Amino acid sequence: MKDKKKEGKIKGWTPYGIALLLFIVIGAIPTYAAPNTMPITLPSIGVDVGVAETGQDVVSSLQMLFFVTIIALAPSILMMMTSFTRIIIVLHFLRSALGTQQTPPNQILIGLALFLTFFIMGPVFSEANTQGLQPYAAGEISQEEAIQLSMDPFRDFMFRQVEEKDLALFMKIGQIEKVSTKEEIPSTVLIPAFIISELKTAFQIGFLIYIPFIVIDMVVASTLMSMGMMMLPPVMISLPFKILLFIMVDGWNLIIGELIKTFR
């Protein structure tokens, strides 16, 4: 009976108890096994918040706050300057046109959009790395020069995609006079113009995607009405036909291929 009780107690150990025991044993090893060695210590990490005594302290705090903010927003900023915007919007239009609700799920669409963005923007990333990041890492150029040289490939990509009237709109709003070269156009004007150009292009592609599926919905709805089946939802009947049409034309290959070709 005693053995069973002991066995029951051992079996009753929780993972937290086992972890605590291992922590105590491991922490005691340096003390008892090697008394001449220094015991293992854990570093303490803390953040001090106090009153700024000088103007330099205020400037340093603001610079650190600005730097942390830029790091937090860097993924969103980078997505707005690449092909990601157009791709993800077109994929969402495709899912809505098919009427498959949450299939494919958002995680799949975002992952596909990211990998297509890496595929399309690969030469731009390589050029930015070669021109800006590698020389800066080698200490050949300053930080300002590295930022400018790394930004040039992205600016060239955005200039190829942006429409002139969108660019002229923001130049007019920013009260910027006519420029002789595109290097004189600031990035604060180029980036929003590029974003609305991408939105317009994505909506145009989405409209073209909707057309064949709307035709199927209209045919199914008119057929059901002529048969007097008013209570049967047309979406329930049209969805399999839309999926069948999408499979027959190899929709993913067709849409992704033509979408990539729209980037000039």
Side-chain angles (χ1 to χ4, degrees):
M1 292 295 291
K2 293 182 179 179
D3 295 339
K4 290 184 179 180
K5 290 182 179 178
K6 291 182 179 179
E7 185 179 357
K9 290 181 179 179
I10 294 174
K11 288 184 178 180
W13 276 83
T14 62
Y16 301 102
I18 296 174
L20 179 61
L21 177 61
L22 291 176
F23 180 80
I24 295 173
V25 172
I26 294 173
I29 288 175
T31 304
Y32 294 99
N36 295 327
T37 59
M38 295 295 293
I40 297 176
T41 59
L42 297 176
S44 62
I45 301 174
V47 178
D48 295 333
V49 179
V51 179
E53 298 179 354
T54 62
Q56 184 64 33
D57 294 339
V58 176
V59 173
S60 301
S61 301
L62 292 177
Q63 289 178 348
M64 181 60 68
L65 181 62
F66 178 76
F67 180 71
V68 172
T69 304
I70 291 298
I71 291 178
L73 297 178
S76 299
I77 295 173
L78 188 60
M79 288 178 183
M80 294 294 101
M81 296 167 52
T82 62
S83 58
F84 180 83
T85 302
R86 184 188 306 184
I87 295 173
I88 192 64
I89 291 177
V90 170
L91 292 179
H92 275 283
F93 270 124
L94 174 61
R95 186 176 66 179
S96 299
L98 282 171
T100 53
Q101 301 299 325
Q102 296 298 322
T103 304
N106 292 330
Q107 293 84 349
I108 301 297
L109 294 183
I110 294 174
L112 177 59
L114 283 175
F115 278 103
L116 290 177
T117 301
F118 293 150
F119 176 77
I120 295 171
M121 302 295 297
V124 178
F125 292 150
S126 299
E127 188 177 355
N129 180 54
T130 303
Q131 293 183 2
L133 297 182
Q134 293 299 330
Y136 176 70
E140 300 175 357
I141 58 177
S142 63
Q143 183 178 357
E144 292 75 11
E145 293 175 338
I147 294 175
Q148 181 179 358
L149 293 175
S150 300
M151 189 66 183
D152 287 341
F154 289 94
R155 284 174 56 88
D156 293 337
F157 172 79
M158 288 188 286
F159 272 118
R160 292 196 300 268
Q161 310 302 325
V162 70
E163 296 187 5
E164 293 183 1
K165 61 179 181 179
D166 296 330
L167 198 58
L169 171 65
F170 283 95
M171 290 183 66
K172 181 179 179 181
I173 296 173
Q175 297 180 354
I176 299 176
E177 299 179 356
K178 293 183 179 180
V179 295
S180 56
T181 59
K182 64 181 182 180
E183 284 76 14
E184 299 177 5
I185 300 176
S187 298
T188 54
V189 171
L190 176 60
I191 294 175
F194 168 76
I195 293 174
I196 64 173
S197 296
E198 289 293 286
L199 293 174
K200 177 182 177 181
T201 304
F203 274 68
Q204 290 174 344
I205 298 174
F207 171 76
L208 296 176
I209 291 175
Y210 257 98
I211 293 177
F213 299 112
I214 288 178
V215 172
I216 294 177
D217 288 332
M218 293 176 62
V219 171
V220 171
S222 60
T223 303
L224 292 177
M225 289 182 65
S226 62
M227 296 175 62
M229 304 174 67
M230 302 293 185
M231 302 301 295
L232 183 62
V235 178
M236 185 180 299
I237 305 300
S238 63
L239 179 59
F241 288 100
K242 289 191 288 187
I243 295 177
L244 179 62
L245 173 65
F246 191 72
I247 295 173
M248 291 179 61
V249 300
D250 196 4
W252 289 112
N253 185 290
L254 178 63
I255 291 178
I256 297 301
E258 295 300 322
L259 179 60
I260 293 176
K261 291 179 183 178
T262 59
F263 293 97
R264 52 186 183 273

